[in-house]
Amino acid sequence: MASKRIRFCLLTLLALFVIVGGNKATGQVSGLIEFSAAGRLQRGIPLVSLAQEIVVMGRDGWLHSIDPTQPETQLKSLDGDYQPLSAVELRSQLRAEFGSDFEVVATQNFLVVQPKNRGDRWAKLFEQSHRGFVAYMSKRGVHVRQGRFPMVAIVFPDSNAMYDEFKKQKIDVSRVAGIYSNNSNRVMTHDSGHFSLVAATVRHEAAHQSAFNTGVHSRLNNTPKWITEGIGQLFEPQATTNMHTTAQRRERVNRESLDILRSSYPREKDAEFNQAIFDMISGDEMFADEPQVQNAYSVAWAMMFYLAERQPREFAKILNHTATRRPFTTYGRNERRDDFEAVIGMDAAEFSKRVRRFLDSL
Ligand SMILES: [Zn+2]
């Protein structure tokens, strides 16, 4: 399919997190707290406590940034321990939030909120994507743990309803079929009748959600985008999430990415391909540069697909390494490059040569 999907994944942490690097955490607030956010009183646990900002993990898995100096925050310390909401509690909270036009379909790992009477295809898609993700990662030695929260997917009746919700959450994106947002820990998409067309995008976003909920990525530090988006792209083809098939490698190929690579980086543009890999190892700028975005996603796919298929040990090592970095710390260019070379065992130039050879073999 040649259509150009606009890519935008909301994986960056709350913008305020970056200040943590330059500010001393006061640690004044700890343990279970009550606070007001999104118009209601909630409970959660502070992850970082600064004079002007506390980052809180809510019982529903949301990450909130609250200002303890504002009276409307209604901050209060409570006795007792932090406990994530149970699936039953979360389900009734979702019912209250979305009202009687929606139903909440529960599966083993998900609570899927959808307009009434839309059957079970969404629940099946999410559940199959997640199980396929866990199997794929486990097989390659990536550390996968049981998530702490039931995963929530919201299926809006149409794109307008979805964009209304984005507006409420101050999410500024357009022309997407769905997103995963790190702050809400939700996948949001819409059901306007082109299920097979949006399925690839939904599998991409669902892979982000699975990764952040199983500890394959950390929600509290910044993972290089070639890794997070490479994972998203990896899971777009249905064959990647289908555990029961003895699928051939060619079925796991992300055709859209491969087509983009072949037209953007023909043989005579080898130097540009090398440069893209070199740039993406140490920074995320290519993903923010509109004319380069499609290339960025495609090169990220090539890098992760090569590792997953040809060097699964290093594939696991780079994921396990980035997932366990210290939370709330910046990940500088030199450190990213040094980590890459140490974990993968070669420099960008050698890596790029191998990826190119692998792509030629597909
Ligand atoms: Zn993505």
Side-chain angles (χ1 to χ4, degrees):
M1 194 184 61
S3 84
K4 291 235 162 166
R5 274 174 290 147
I6 298 299
R7 285 272 168 234
F8 190 94
C9 291
L10 289 170
L11 300 179
T12 33
L13 299 167
L14 293 161
L16 290 163
F17 278 15
V18 294
I19 67 167
V20 174
N23 277 275
K24 264 228 160 343
T26 62
Q28 280 161 351
V29 186
S30 61
L32 188 64
I33 60 166
E34 187 174 76
F35 61 98
S36 174
R40 60 188 179 85
L41 274 182
Q42 316 198 24
R43 290 176 177 193
I45 188 156
L47 303 175
V48 172
S49 176
L50 306 171
Q52 305 279 326
E53 183 197 8
I54 301 176
V55 177
V56 189
M57 176 77 79
R59 290 189 65 216
D60 52 5
W62 281 64
L63 286 169
H64 298 278
S65 166
I66 59 173
D67 183 346
T69 64
Q70 295 301 311
E72 64 265 26
T73 300
Q74 300 182 58
L75 183 65
K76 204 162 83 178
S77 276
L78 298 176
D79 290 333
D81 294 324
Y82 171 82
Q83 286 286 350
L85 289 179
S86 68
V88 173
E89 289 172 302
L90 188 50
R91 187 178 189 160
S92 65
Q93 184 175 304
L94 288 167
R95 281 217 177 98
E97 180 181 345
F98 287 92
S100 57
D101 292 343
F102 288 82
E103 62 188 359
V104 183
V105 181
T107 67
Q108 190 184 334
N109 294 287
F110 288 87
L111 292 170
V112 179
V113 181
Q114 62 180 22
K116 277 193 169 153
N117 305 316
R118 300 284 170 119
D120 62 359
R121 61 183 186 171
W122 287 102
K124 276 190 175 150
L125 176 62
F126 285 111
E127 193 62 39
Q128 189 199 33
S129 297
H130 181 68
R131 289 182 193 195
F133 178 90
V134 170
Y136 187 95
M137 292 295 166
S138 306
K139 196 171 143 192
R140 288 166 174 79
V142 180
H143 300 152
V144 176
R145 61 162 165 72
Q146 181 66 38
R148 301 178 74 191
F149 307 94
M151 289 186 283
V152 174
I154 316 289
V155 180
F156 291 95
D158 52 44
S159 62
N160 286 340
M162 182 180 79
Y163 286 116
D164 284 349
E165 178 65 20
F166 289 179
K167 224 166 148 188
K168 263 204 270 176
Q169 292 190 31
K170 301 190 173 66
I171 295 170
D172 180 23
V173 296
S174 54
R175 293 196 287 162
V176 292
I179 62 163
Y180 164 74
S181 117
N182 185 44
N183 293 359
S184 72
N185 198 30
R186 292 175 174 179
V187 166
M188 291 175 273
T189 183
H190 66 87
D191 183 10
S192 49
H194 302 289
F195 189 74
S196 62
L197 294 183
V198 301
T201 301
V202 172
R203 280 192 291 269
H204 174 119
E205 302 303 326
H208 287 323
Q209 188 178 37
S210 295
F212 282 97
N213 280 271
T214 56
V216 170
H217 307 319
S218 164
R219 288 180 68 200
L220 306 180
N221 69 31
N222 280 317
T223 306
K225 276 201 164 206
W226 70 269
I227 297 176
T228 55
E229 295 308 340
I231 293 290
Q233 297 293 94
L234 214 54
F235 282 88
E236 290 192 359
Q238 200 193 353
T240 310
T241 60
N242 194 343
M243 319 174 256
H244 302 299
T245 171
T246 48
Q248 300 289 315
R249 172 173 294 152
R250 62 189 156 74
E251 295 174 57
R252 293 193 294 271
V253 167
N254 186 319
R255 285 284 149 199
E256 193 186 15
S257 291
L258 188 59
D259 288 349
I260 290 170
L261 290 169
R262 289 194 167 148
S263 78
S264 294
Y265 303 106
R267 262 272 165 244
E268 60 273 20
K269 290 196 175 169
D270 235 5
E272 284 174 42
F273 183 68
N274 294 350
Q275 188 63 44
I277 287 189
F278 185 84
D279 290 346
M280 280 166 53
I281 286 171
S282 47
D284 296 336
E285 291 79 4
M286 232 178 119
F287 288 93
D289 180 16
E290 184 77 42
Q292 293 263 45
V293 169
Q294 296 280 354
N295 287 341
Y297 279 89
S298 303
V299 174
W301 166 75
M303 294 165 81
M304 289 307 273
F305 191 56
Y306 164 77
L307 288 174
E309 298 283 332
R310 286 287 167 87
Q311 295 193 222
R313 247 169 56 95
E314 285 73 21
F315 175 81
K317 269 167 76 180
I318 194 84
L319 286 166
N320 293 339
H321 175 76
T322 50
T324 50
R325 284 181 57 252
R326 237 161 64 83
F328 304 112
T329 49
T330 48
Y331 201 2
R333 304 184 71 85
N334 293 343
E335 197 186 345
R336 279 173 60 154
R337 193 201 53 221
D338 292 350
D339 284 357
F340 177 89
E341 291 180 1
V343 169
I344 308 298
M346 66 188 89
D347 64 12
E350 174 62 24
F351 182 70
S352 165
K353 230 185 286 167
R354 292 191 188 203
V355 175
R356 167 65 90 179
R357 231 180 289 140
F358 175 65
L359 291 176
D360 288 346
S361 79
L362 295 175

